[in-house]
């Protein structure tokens, strides 16, 4: 594993919030993620999991420290270049599905490529249809996002996260809002994409059963990495 | 399909109630603008038409002789200036055919007509009326004032001992077609003419005094063989009349008077009316812009999380900006279609309700293509402008904050 350059490299990252009263959400986090890993990020509420995910996701910039994604240093990039890099290298799944309610399942999955390219290509449509079929929603392609069940929505969200074939998918409590059965289904889906397509996942979770089934568990406490175990 | 259009239309369609309400507001605003413009433009052009229906755009005459002292003052001898205005005497324009030719070449002039005008009296039995005799070339004069279209009886073919007279004058004298009248001019010449036509130009002063005859006949009535007392001009753009008059005066040395100077008060009234129209339109535009802006602001706030999601997945900020600008422009444009239709209905309805006793519309409305085009353009630009602030706000949303924690 040491030979392949890491997919993600986080070195001594610090993130502080607030202007006058500064609260440190991350107090020096270093982390390396290789292609093909499926890692769980766990830790108590307020420990800084979402903050770390936002930084890795290029949605926010660190106060100090450095970050490399696919060998690229995002701190040197302009906002449009950052948006483009984000669109092509990262997929997001959130605790709340965050689908766009005015659009159908298929449209939601097509939107990332559509929005970046400006025009809808046949390839985008074909890929979105295939992904929705892969997550078992071929019947619901044209259903409005807000007419789907919670588990179905989250499956659409996973299809959307994978729609541009990103090397890394960041998931922030993807099952946090689902019951046990749906939660199991959604996680199994991610595992399948990991196994079958080699997608790298970093999954924030509070659910120990989910963490147990990842190849790696990273625990963060009070803005610092407290444990990092591979199994 | 373009992403920006796709998302903008979907958002508009999805927020059906909001979209319908703001479209209604834009439509009413545009309808007010269209209706008001149609009415005021119609009113103004009919007032101008009426005014110009009985007078030329520009009239050129021999300038009054400036009274000159018989002896000039010297340092030793002051004189009390004694001014005796020479009695008005009809004088002909020197070399008038050459002047006509040069005026016809003047930029903006579309017709030139020579005339001999003088005062006189019409006598018929016991009845005696003061008149203005106008000698003209019918074919040239009809291009200055469209008399043939305003005939109430007979035909417009003065000459050979026949004349056309105003309808009020005809009534005053108690004469009709084929009757004869004696004309006595201020020069002491008298002649008997036959009435071959009666016209009504809609101007009391004109219809009560005018006797139109041939140029040659008038020349003999006023002892001005071969001469003319004035030239009348028509111009392409009636509001250029002042400028053309100045140029004509400069070139010919004659005294030129445009209809605009003669009707200065009317023009002041019209321009006051135009400014009040502009004011009303301005406030309507402001109200429409505020309406569109507030709907879009609410929409941006409601959708901030969705916008954050689109941004997180790689949609560039400029496309987010374009989505909301498009929404604003579409609201303006579509609203302007409905508004134009509504304004047209209103104007037509008003036209049928407000009628003169003769059945003609009291308020003629002018609904033309430029009005619709400018209303649509205005509404679209206003929609676009109103969307600028909300769209900027949307495009500057920070994706991490917009998505929120969780
Ligand atoms: N935008 C923000 N502004 C100010 N403080 C913030 C912001 N986001 C997070 N924080 C603070 O940073 C710390 C870490 O928050 P974070 O959301 O990363 O926790 P978390 O581990 O995801 O918690 P949870 O499990 O509850 O989601 C918390 O103390 C939080 O209050
Ligand atoms: Mg969190």
């Amino acid at each position: 594993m040491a030979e392949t350059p890491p997919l993600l490299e986080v070195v001594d990252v610090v993130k502080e919030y607030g202007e006058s009263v500064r609260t440190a959400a991350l107090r020096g986090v270093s982390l390396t993620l290789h292609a093909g890993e499926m890692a769980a990020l766990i830790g108590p509420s307020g420990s800084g999991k979402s903050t770390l995910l936002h930084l890795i996701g290029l949605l926010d910039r660190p106060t100090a420290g450095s970050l490399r994604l696919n060998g690229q240093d995002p701190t040197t990039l302009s906002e449009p270049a950052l948006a483009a890099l984000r669109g092509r290298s990262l997929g997001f799944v959130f605790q709340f599905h965050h689908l766009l309610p005015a659009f159908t399942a298929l449209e939601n999955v097509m939107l990332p490529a559509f929005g970046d390219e400006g025009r809808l290509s046949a390839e985008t449509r074909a890929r979105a249809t295939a992904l929705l079929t892969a997550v078992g929603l071929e019947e619901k392609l044209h259903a409005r996002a807000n007419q789907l069940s919670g588990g179905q929505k989250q499956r659409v969200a996973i299809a959307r996260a994978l729609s541009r074939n990103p090397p890394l998918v960041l998931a922030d409590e993807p099952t946090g809002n689902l019951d046990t059965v749906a939660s199991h289904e959604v996680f199994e889906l991610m595992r399948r994409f990991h196994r079958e397509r080699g997608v790298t996942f970093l999954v924030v979770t509070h659910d120990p059963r989910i963490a147990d089934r990842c190849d790696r568990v990273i625990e963060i406490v009070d803005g610092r990495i407290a444990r990092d175990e591979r199994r | 399909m373009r992403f920006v259009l796709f998302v903008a239309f979907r958002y508009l369609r999805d927020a059906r109630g909001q979209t319908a309400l703001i479209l209604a507001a834009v439509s009413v605003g545009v309808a007010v603008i269209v209706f008001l413009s149609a009415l005021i433009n119609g009113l103004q052009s009919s007032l101008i038409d009426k005014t110009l229906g009985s007078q030329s755009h520009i009239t050129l005459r021999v300038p009054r002789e400036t009274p000159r002292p018989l002896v000039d003052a010297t340092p030793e001898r002051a004189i009390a200036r004694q001014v005796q205005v020479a009695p008005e005497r009809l004088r002909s324009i020197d070399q008038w055919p050459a002047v006509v030719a040069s005026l016809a070449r003047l930029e903006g002039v579309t017709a030139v007509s020579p005339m001999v005008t003088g005062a006189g009296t019409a006598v018929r039995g016991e009845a005696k009326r003061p008149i203005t005799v106008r000698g003209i070339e019918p074919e040239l004069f009809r291009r200055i004032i469209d008399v043939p279209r305003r005939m109430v009886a007979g035909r417009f073919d003065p000459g050979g001992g026949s004349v056309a007279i105003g309808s009020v004058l005809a009534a005053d004298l108690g004469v009709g077609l084929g009757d004869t009248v004696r004309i006595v001019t201020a020069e002491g010449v008298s002649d008997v003419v036959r009435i071959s036509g009666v016209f009504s130009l809609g101007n009391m002063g004109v219809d009560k005094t005018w006797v139109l005859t041939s140029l040659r006949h008038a020349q003999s009535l006023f002892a001005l063989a071969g001469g003319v007392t004035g030239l009348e001009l028509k111009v392409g753009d009636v509001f250029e009349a002042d400028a053309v008059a100045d140029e004509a005066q400069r070139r010919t040395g004659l005294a030129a008077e445009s209809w605009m100077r003669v009707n200065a008060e009317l023009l002041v009234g019209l321009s006051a009316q135009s400014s009040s129209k502009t004011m009303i339109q301005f406030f309507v535009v402001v109200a429409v812009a505020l309406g569109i802006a507030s709907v879009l602001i609410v929409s941006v706030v409601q959708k901030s999380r969705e916008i954050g999601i689109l941004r997180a997945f790689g949609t560039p900020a400029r496309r987010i900006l374009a989505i909301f600008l498009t929404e604003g422009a579409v609201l303006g444009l579509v609203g302007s279609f409905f508004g134009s239709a509504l304004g047209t209905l209103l104007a037509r309805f008003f036209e049928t309700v407000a009628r003169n006793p003769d059945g003609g519309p009291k308020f003629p409305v002018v609904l033309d293509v430029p009005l619709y085009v400018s209303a649509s353009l205005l509404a679209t630009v206003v929609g676009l402008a109103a969307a600028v602030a909300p769209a900027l706000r949307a495009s500057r949303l920070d994706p991490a904050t917009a998505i929120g924690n969780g």
Side-chain angles (χ1 to χ4, degrees), chain A residues 15-18 21 23-26 41-54 60 95 172-173 204-206 220 222-223, chain B residues 398 400-401 404-406:
Chain A
K15 178 68 185 178
E16 291 175 354
Y17 287 112
V21 189
T23 52
L26 296 176
L41 185 60
I42 61 169
S45 180
S47 56
K49 303 182 295 295
S50 296
T51 303
L52 181 58
L53 227 59
H54 283 162
D60 211 346
Q95 173 174 6
D172 198 348
E173 300 185 48
V204 172
T205 182
H206 279 292
I220 184 163
D222 203 15
Chain B
D398 170 43
T401 321
N405 218 359

Side-chain angles (χ1 to χ4, degrees), chain A residues 50 54 59 79 83 86-87 92 94-95 98 100-103 107 111-112 114-120 144 160-161, chain B residues 1-3 6-7 10-11 13-14 305-306 309-316 319 398-400 403-406:
Chain A
S50 296
H54 283 162
L59 294 171
E79 179 49 38
R86 191 163 59 216
F92 296 90
F94 306 95
Q95 173 174 6
H98 287 343
L100 274 53
F103 298 86
E107 287 163 351
L111 278 176
F114 195 5
D116 184 14
E117 290 156 13
R119 285 176 180 281
L120 188 57
R144 282 286 200 113
R160 179 177 62 181
Chain B
M1 184 64 167
R2 294 295 208 116
F3 174 76
F6 177 74
V7 176
R10 180 61 59 86
Y11 277 166
R13 204 184 77 188
D14 194 52
R305 180 165 287 188
E306 295 185 28
I309 296 288
L310 286 172
R311 299 275 289 116
F313 280 108
T315 303
R319 289 220 172 94
D398 170 43
I403 294 164
N405 218 359

Side-chain angles (χ1 to χ4, degrees), chain B residues 1-142:
Chain B
M1 184 64 167
R2 294 295 208 116
F3 174 76
V4 169
L5 291 180
F6 177 74
V7 176
F9 278 106
R10 180 61 59 86
Y11 277 166
L12 286 172
R13 204 184 77 188
D14 194 52
R16 224 166 282 138
Q18 264 178 20
T19 304
L21 270 179
I22 193 62
L23 274 182
V26 176
S27 304
V28 169
V30 172
V32 167
I33 288 178
V34 167
F35 174 60
L36 201 68
S37 302
L39 194 65
I40 289 185
N41 293 349
L43 211 57
Q44 296 202 341
S45 63
S46 89
L47 270 173
I48 290 171
D49 278 356
K50 266 190 194 131
T51 305
L52 294 180
S54 59
Q55 61 184 261
S56 64
H57 296 170
I58 299 169
T59 305
L60 293 139
R61 291 176 204 279
V62 181
R64 274 171 195 277
E65 281 176 272
T66 32
R68 279 223 226 121
L70 296 171
V71 270
D72 287 330
T74 62
E76 293 84 45
R77 184 176 56 187
I79 54 161
R81 178 171 288 194
Q82 269 201 327
V83 176
Q84 281 187 323
V85 180
E88 274 265 39
R89 187 165 58 81
L90 286 182
R91 289 186 303 132
S92 176
I93 294 172
D94 271 349
Q95 315 275 331
W96 67 266
V99 177
V100 166
S102 98
L103 286 173
R105 286 194 303 271
L106 201 63
E107 165 106 24
V109 172
T110 58
V112 185
S113 165
M115 65 172 174
V116 170
T117 302
T121 313
V123 185
R124 162 86 178 179
E126 296 290 290
K128 239 185 196 183
R129 288 288 183 272
I131 55 167
T132 300
V133 177
R134 296 194 122 216
I136 40 89
E137 300 279 11
E139 282 316 306
L140 292 176
F141 186 66
R142 63 182 297 175

Side-chain angles (χ1 to χ4, degrees), chain B residues 120-295:
Chain B
T121 313
V123 185
R124 162 86 178 179
E126 296 290 290
K128 239 185 196 183
R129 288 288 183 272
I131 55 167
T132 300
V133 177
R134 296 194 122 216
I136 40 89
E137 300 279 11
E139 282 316 306
L140 292 176
F141 186 66
R142 63 182 297 175
R143 300 188 53 199
I144 304 292
I145 297 173
D146 192 3
V147 186
R149 237 182 36 141
R150 315 303 272 302
M151 299 305 292
V152 293
R155 286 186 301 125
F156 177 65
D157 57 352
S162 67
V163 298
I165 71 170
S167 56
V168 179
L169 179 61
D172 285 353
L173 292 171
V175 293
L177 285 183
D179 290 345
T180 55
V181 174
R182 172 171 295 279
I183 292 176
V184 184
T185 68
E187 307 292 307
V189 184
S190 140
D191 191 17
V192 174
V193 294
R194 198 169 39 79
I195 294 164
S196 66
V198 177
F199 57 82
S200 168
L201 299 187
N203 175 324
M204 191 51 154
V206 168
D207 294 340
K208 200 181 169 75
T209 61
W210 275 18
V211 172
L212 294 176
T213 184
S214 69
L215 192 61
R216 184 177 294 270
H217 185 224
Q219 284 166 344
S220 70
L221 283 174
F222 292 101
L224 268 178
V228 303
T229 61
L231 300 173
E232 292 183 297
L233 307 185
K234 186 185 177 75
V235 293
D237 176 355
V238 295
F239 291 103
E240 285 297 310
D242 253 350
V244 177
D246 288 346
E247 181 60 20
Q249 176 157 342
R250 204 182 58 73
R251 286 217 193 164
T252 61
L254 298 172
E257 195 163 48
S258 76
W259 75 275
M260 298 170 80
R261 217 164 299 159
V262 176
N263 300 283
E265 262 175 59
L266 170 74
L267 286 174
V268 169
L270 292 186
S271 99
Q273 204 178 41
S274 293
S275 348
S276 63
K277 176 184 79 170
T278 309
M279 280 262 278
I280 295 173
Q281 288 179 344
F282 172 76
F283 287 116
V284 168
V285 162
V286 167
V288 165
L290 289 178
I292 293 180
S294 65
V295 161

